[in-house]
Amino acid sequence: MPGMSGRFSTVMKAKISKMLDRAEDPSEVLDYSYQQQLENLQNVKKGIADVVTAKKRLQMQAGKIEQSVVKLDTQARQALAAGNEDLARIALERKQVAQTELQTLDSQVAELERQQQQLTDSEQKLRTKIEQFRTKKEVIKAQYNAAEAQVRISEAATGVGEEMADVGLAMQRAQDKTEQMRARADAVAELEAAGTFEDLTQLGSGEDDIDRQLNQLTSGSQVDDELAKMRAELTAGSGETEKKQLGEGEQA
Amino acid sequence: MIVRISTEGQWDLDDSHHGELDRLDDEVVAAVEAGDEAAYRERFDALLDFVRSSGTPHDADDLHGSDFILPPADLSFDEAKGEFSGEGLIPDPPG
């Protein structure tokens, strides 16, 4: 039988029939097979826990970046109010990078949420089949008659084996995705470590290397638009915060 | 017949649906072989939807293996190249 899951279950079927050929007592194969199924169920649980861990990690990272967005926005306003448009621009450019990052993280968290749900459903289905196998196992043992038992064992094991192969495939796919996300999250963490989203008040005068890179990353016009909007808001708010100096209040 | 959509579950389909299943499967193969990703996505979704809509969920307690196993719905175009080729995943109905 072709197909990803099909290939797995073909391998599993071959394994079981080999075991049946070798076993003196087919009921041993049944017990062994059942033990294997329970172990696999444990692995599925571990797989779900891994997805949850990855999700929590991304959520934490998103939380941090969300704070940066608020902080950079505040700083841009303060800089603009103080008449330092260059600094306001840098803050907005950084804010834009952080916002883009936040969107990516949010969609990744949603994806992991979906995978977690899918794996939980799969685990439930597998659990039902294993339970059914357990019941059937005892019936087959009780009616033990070599040829008949062989057929029925192989049938029962096929159903569980296929379900197991399918959960295995779902886990593999979830792992691949979390792996990709982890690699990306690490890259963002590096950006963070390099000070990309850091407090602008820590920044020395003039543009540094990061800013030159950010300039290339962000679209100038979007930053211009936001600057204009902020300027309009400031004028409308007529001067209350105007003289506040950057770095004075440490609002974020 | 029992058809499984990987990572979703098993469906019971009447044997009379075999022909339509085979036709939809061949269309996915054609899209993949033509290198047309948009057509692949559309045809593959149609194949899975056909199984979901014309089948009924297979009894969770039953231990029968599937007659056909289809890949998961989020199968990428690159992955599809390894799955859908030649006769596809559904062979011609007998007779």
Side-chain angles (χ1 to χ4, degrees):
Chain A
M1 192 184 309
M4 295 179 167
S5 202
R7 275 193 294 275
F8 280 119
S9 80
T10 308
V11 170
M12 222 169 279
K13 261 184 236 172
K15 234 184 200 170
I16 287 164
S17 63
K18 214 181 207 172
M19 265 167 42
L20 278 172
D21 285 346
R22 272 202 311 252
E24 284 175 19
D25 178 1
S27 68
E28 279 171 21
V29 179
L30 280 169
D31 290 336
Y32 176 78
S33 186
Y34 180 61
Q35 282 311 314
Q36 292 272 301
Q37 290 165 15
L38 291 181
E39 274 173 34
N40 270 303
L41 198 58
Q42 288 306 312
N43 283 335
V44 176
K45 280 188 185 159
K46 270 187 221 145
I48 296 174
D50 285 346
V51 172
V52 173
T53 306
K55 191 181 77 181
K56 280 193 181 143
R57 194 176 161 212
L58 290 181
Q59 277 170 331
M60 263 173 60
Q61 203 168 17
K64 270 198 233 133
I65 292 185
E66 217 163 347
Q67 283 177 4
S68 303
V69 169
V70 174
K71 189 162 66 187
L72 289 167
D73 186 86
T74 308
Q75 293 185 333
R77 275 168 210 281
Q78 288 175 343
L80 199 60
N84 190 344
E85 191 173 320
D86 285 347
L87 196 55
R89 184 178 291 276
I90 293 175
L92 287 180
E93 279 165 359
R94 291 185 172 203
K95 183 187 152 195
Q96 215 177 58
V97 174
Q99 269 174 329
T100 309
E101 194 46 48
L102 195 57
Q103 275 169 14
T104 310
L105 282 171
D106 283 346
S107 65
Q108 287 181 339
V109 168
E111 169 71 17
L112 287 183
E113 184 73 50
R114 198 184 63 78
Q115 299 222 318
Q116 185 191 335
Q117 189 54 51
Q118 198 178 45
L119 278 176
T120 309
D121 291 349
S122 303
E123 189 215 352
Q124 188 52 49
K125 278 184 195 150
L126 182 59
R127 187 186 296 279
T128 309
K129 296 239 179 200
I130 290 176
E131 181 53 30
Q132 189 58 30
F133 183 87
R134 193 184 63 82
T135 312
K136 220 164 199 170
K137 174 169 83 90
E138 297 312 314
V139 175
I140 296 173
K141 271 187 189 172
Q143 299 180 335
Y144 175 55
N145 147 328
E148 171 75 9
Q150 291 242 355
V151 174
R152 299 187 62 185
I153 291 170
S154 157
E155 264 173 18
T158 298
V160 182
E162 189 185 305
E163 199 66 48
M164 213 129 67
D166 203 46
V167 178
L169 185 72
M171 282 214 299
Q172 184 60 54
R173 291 178 83 76
Q175 266 166 12
D176 287 351
K177 281 203 179 120
T178 46
E179 218 26 72
Q180 285 164 15
M181 287 180 194
R182 187 169 299 147
R184 203 180 170 283
D186 286 347
V188 175
E190 260 173 52
L191 260 186
E192 263 185 301
T196 310
F197 308 123
E198 254 171 34
D199 197 331
L200 268 184
T201 53
Q202 312 287 320
L203 197 71
S205 58
E207 285 198 348
D208 58 15
D209 196 43
I210 298 169
D211 288 305
R212 272 188 295 278
Q213 288 175 28
L214 285 181
N215 269 328
Q216 292 168 346
L217 277 174
T218 53
S219 110
S221 74
Q222 262 174 292
V223 171
D224 285 341
D225 288 351
E226 202 167 352
L227 258 182
K229 214 176 101 193
M230 264 186 191
R231 219 179 274 125
E233 281 170 16
L234 274 173
T235 322
S238 76
E240 284 158 47
T241 52
E242 225 163 297
K243 290 300 160 209
K244 217 172 191 178
Q245 290 299 306
L246 177 65
E248 201 178 69
E250 284 301 299
Q251 302 200 9
Chain B
M1 62 186 159
I2 306 172
V3 179
R4 176 185 288 277
I5 299 178
S6 290
T7 74
E8 277 180 47
Q10 292 174 300
W11 274 266
D12 290 315
L13 268 81
D14 193 86
D15 284 348
S16 64
H17 285 124
H18 193 153
E20 178 65 3
L21 210 54
D22 180 38
R23 192 185 66 77
L24 289 164
D25 174 53
D26 287 347
E27 284 183 4
V28 181
V29 174
V32 170
E33 283 177 352
D36 187 342
E37 188 168 352
Y40 152 69
R41 183 50 55 201
E42 200 231 327
R43 293 290 84 203
F44 183 47
D45 284 347
L47 171 65
L48 298 184
D49 278 342
F50 177 74
V51 174
R52 295 185 194 114
S53 61
S54 39
T56 47
H58 186 72
D59 186 3
D61 278 355
D62 183 75
L63 292 179
H64 278 92
S66 306
D67 296 294
F68 305 118
I69 299 179
L70 298 173
D74 65 354
L75 189 77
S76 74
F77 189 55
D78 273 344
E79 289 172 321
K81 289 173 190 161
E83 298 290 321
F84 291 96
S85 59
E87 201 185 19
L89 295 177
I90 314 281
D92 295 338

